[in-house]
Amino acid sequence: MRKGAGISALSRHSQTASSYSTLSSSITASQLSTLESSLSSFKDHLLVFAREHRQDIRKDPAFRHQFQKMCAAIGVDPLAGGGGPGGGGGGKGKGWWTEVLGLGEWQYELAVQVVDVCVSTKEGNGGMIAMPDLISRVERLRTGGRADTGGAEVTEEDILRSLDLLKPLAAGYTTHSIAGTTFVRSVPKELDTDQSLLLVLASDAGGRLTERGVMQTTGWSNVRARTVLEDCVMREGLGWVDEQGDERCVWVIAAVDFGS
Amino acid sequence: MSTSYPETSSSRAALVSVAARTQAQAAQNGSGQVANPSTPLRPVVSTSGFTFPAIWSFPPFFTLQPNPATLAHQLNLWSELVLSWARYERVWTVNCDGVDGGGAVFWNRSILRRLLPATLKQLMAHMAKEGHTIADPPKQTSTYLLYWRKPADWGQAIYDWVTDTGQTGSILTFYELTEGDLAETTEFRGLYPAILRKAIEGLVKKGKAQVIKGEDGTGDGVRFL
């Protein structure tokens, strides 16, 4: 800009500045409205898409995963009610989004099934279940026992999402990642360090532990090894005893692969 | 994600290092000190076609569990398994002290595990409490009848069959009922005599049958009303 001399230059300068700012704010406003309208149209399209593919979303885990990723990318939570944090097209009633999709219902249903499996297997596994086992039991529940799981597949992600839903109930469901496998613990009791370590050892050994083996790998005294194994069986209910082998074994049932 | 872990980062590091050591040790020892059963555990199909569930190949399944909650669960699993096995194989009795170990279900030879007589007796006593077995003769703990179907149900099945085949009023011997040519196609063919007698006794109580004492060792008969 040419720098004018004299008093008139000053007023001209302030005039220019003000017209620039008017222009810029009008551009910003138009950009914002374009963005808003395109975002809202995107959301509308997403809704149409969701409505059309409702069945696919409910049945096909891969599809569901992609859809959820897409929703997350634009800040829409398919489980939340209303317009969601994305703003824009809001004003719709709470839970409307959930109703259209039926995904919330689907997710709650899954949560109930997860609880069902955890509770019904608790006696046998002490409230610790490996994710693959949990998934296959839930799938069997969903198909009513049929071997063919068509349309009923769930993924680890689905289960974790359901567990999140259970949080407000303070049921104490937690997940533990041990040696590459996720375990779901349905007993609201924390495992102490020794028990956690035992689980690591167990998942490496296909579930089977001996006092001698535990001593060797951990360097624990035999008293400590015995106590920890005993607690695993008697206090936690995680271990099953086998007394017919060469030496007494404790099998941590959650770490045993039943091939289901 | 929601992965929560109660440990501090240092104890997590300890876990990881132990896991690494375990793997190294396993590699050193070759396949480990004692042969593990093949994993994953799978259902086993017997020569007669009965499918033993995967838990049947789980060694501790054959040791009574010291944890009371686990034990209760274990006994229920066993009870279910024994009943479905007996129903499939049409097994009527269990001899806890038998040389065969009581029956094929109680002995998994491929993993060298069996229910020892004392354990088997405890299982039978547990099942008796649930009404699935009964000591026969009473007041001993060695031989049991298996009620994979209740005597009352057997009685009803027999009564229905008699009615359907127009034999009401006629006299049939106990033997004829379960071993006769006519009975060959019925569900109660080969019904164990002691269970048959209990079934008929039930019908007698309901006034649906009369037992007629046999003469000259021909065996008892029954008339259906």
Side-chain angles (χ1 to χ4, degrees):
Chain A
M1 189 199 317
R2 187 182 68 85
K3 195 175 187 305
I7 198 87
S8 66
L10 266 179
S11 74
R12 194 171 64 237
H13 177 75
S14 75
Q15 227 168 16
T16 325
S18 89
S19 66
Y20 267 124
S21 92
T22 325
L23 185 64
S24 104
S25 72
S26 90
I27 288 175
T28 313
S30 85
Q31 267 179 344
L32 197 66
S33 79
T34 322
L35 201 65
E36 259 178 11
S37 82
S38 69
L39 192 64
S40 96
S41 94
F42 183 71
K43 280 177 83 175
D44 287 344
H45 283 304
L46 189 67
L47 270 177
V48 172
F49 177 85
R51 215 173 310 172
E52 271 176 11
H53 296 277
R54 189 176 148 150
Q55 283 309 315
D56 292 324
I57 291 168
R58 293 172 65 130
K59 277 190 179 152
D60 182 356
F63 202 97
R64 189 160 59 240
H65 172 76
Q66 287 302 329
F67 179 75
Q68 261 150 357
K69 251 172 59 180
M70 197 161 76
C71 289
I74 60 158
V76 171
D77 180 358
L79 287 181
K92 284 151 183 160
K94 195 172 179 1
W96 182 82
W97 177 239
T98 314
E99 267 168 45
V100 171
L101 202 50
L103 197 59
E105 193 188 312
W106 184 91
Q107 198 77 58
Y108 288 119
E109 184 186 286
L110 182 63
V112 170
Q113 285 158 344
V114 167
V115 171
D116 187 345
V117 168
C118 287
V119 169
S120 65
T121 57
K122 197 182 279 183
E123 286 171 319
N125 60 26
M128 177 74 90
I129 189 165
M131 190 57 91
D133 191 20
L134 176 58
I135 289 173
S136 79
R137 280 171 193 274
V138 165
E139 283 174 350
R140 231 174 302 152
L141 205 62
R142 299 174 72 81
T143 55
R146 272 188 297 118
D148 158 44
T149 56
E153 291 101 338
V154 291
T155 61
E156 178 160 343
E157 191 190 338
D158 295 329
I159 302 264
L160 292 175
R161 209 179 286 274
S162 287
L163 290 177
D164 271 347
L165 279 183
L166 294 173
K167 274 209 182 121
L169 300 176
Y173 283 63
T174 51
T175 54
H176 301 255
S177 184
I178 291 162
T181 308
T182 308
F183 288 82
V184 176
R185 174 96 163 136
S186 55
V187 176
K189 197 165 55 171
E190 288 196 354
L191 289 177
D192 59 43
T193 326
D194 283 2
Q195 289 299 326
S196 306
L197 229 152
L198 212 57
L199 274 170
V200 175
L201 299 186
S203 40
D204 279 341
R208 183 179 174 280
L209 296 169
T210 63
E211 193 180 305
R212 202 159 51 92
V214 169
M215 281 166 63
Q216 270 175 12
T217 37
T218 57
W220 290 345
S221 67
N222 59 350
V223 176
R224 183 168 173 194
R226 190 175 310 151
T227 311
V228 173
L229 283 172
E230 193 64 15
D231 282 351
C232 176
V233 173
M234 298 306 292
R235 195 186 65 197
E236 310 288 346
L238 297 172
W240 284 53
V241 178
D242 172 28
E243 279 169 347
Q244 291 182 47
D246 300 334
E247 53 189 326
R248 189 176 186 269
C249 292
V250 170
W251 289 74
V252 178
I253 201 157
V256 178
D257 186 356
F258 281 99
S260 50
Chain B
M1 259 310 135
S2 66
T3 315
S4 68
Y5 206 84
E7 310 307 328
T8 62
S9 60
S10 67
S11 71
R12 189 195 293 259
L15 294 187
V16 172
S17 82
V18 166
R21 252 189 290 162
T22 326
Q23 267 153 6
Q25 206 137 33
Q28 252 175 21
N29 295 355
S31 57
Q33 306 104 339
V34 185
N36 277 341
S38 55
T39 46
L41 303 179
R42 295 221 178 271
V44 179
V45 181
S46 75
T47 45
S48 60
F50 179 73
T51 306
F52 290 105
I55 189 111
W56 193 67
S57 299
F58 182 53
F61 193 46
F62 293 81
T63 298
L64 283 181
Q65 293 306 308
N67 183 317
T70 314
L71 176 65
H73 177 64
Q74 182 190 20
L75 287 174
N76 286 339
L77 287 177
W78 264 112
S79 176
E80 257 171 59
L81 172 59
V82 170
L83 292 177
S84 64
W85 166 79
R87 192 176 294 122
Y88 185 88
E89 305 279 3
R90 297 185 76 79
V91 174
W92 310 101
T93 60
V94 166
N95 179 0
C96 300
D97 296 308
V99 283
D100 63 342
V105 71
F106 305 114
W107 199 336
N108 186 339
R109 286 173 163 82
S110 60
I111 59 163
L112 305 173
R113 293 292 181 277
R114 56 178 291 201
L115 286 188
L116 296 166
T119 312
L120 185 50
K121 283 173 184 172
Q122 199 167 331
L123 171 63
M124 287 298 128
H126 167 80
M127 290 177 72
K129 252 183 261 161
E130 314 270 303
H132 296 311
T133 60
I134 188 167
D136 180 71
K139 291 184 178 127
Q140 49 82 47
T141 56
S142 198
T143 52
Y144 282 83
L145 296 178
L146 290 176
Y147 286 169
W148 38 272
R149 215 173 149 179
K150 298 266 162 30
D153 288 347
W154 284 121
Q156 190 59 46
I158 293 170
Y159 189 79
D160 289 347
W161 174 75
V162 167
T163 320
D164 291 349
T165 52
Q167 299 183 84
T168 317
S170 53
I171 298 171
L172 291 154
T173 66
F174 273 64
Y175 182 83
E176 251 180 321
L177 259 178
T178 54
E179 308 293 335
D181 294 342
L182 282 175
E184 223 165 88
T185 54
T186 64
E187 47 192 345
F188 51 87
R189 66 188 181 282
L191 181 61
Y192 193 74
I195 302 178
L196 173 63
R197 194 158 286 271
K198 285 180 198 292
I200 299 294
E201 278 165 11
L203 289 178
V204 170
K205 264 190 205 135
K206 283 194 203 159
K208 286 178 170 175
Q210 277 177 337
V211 173
I212 290 141
K213 285 279 162 216
E215 291 160 13
D216 330 321
T218 50
D220 289 352
V222 55
R223 176 195 281 138
F224 294 92
L225 306 168

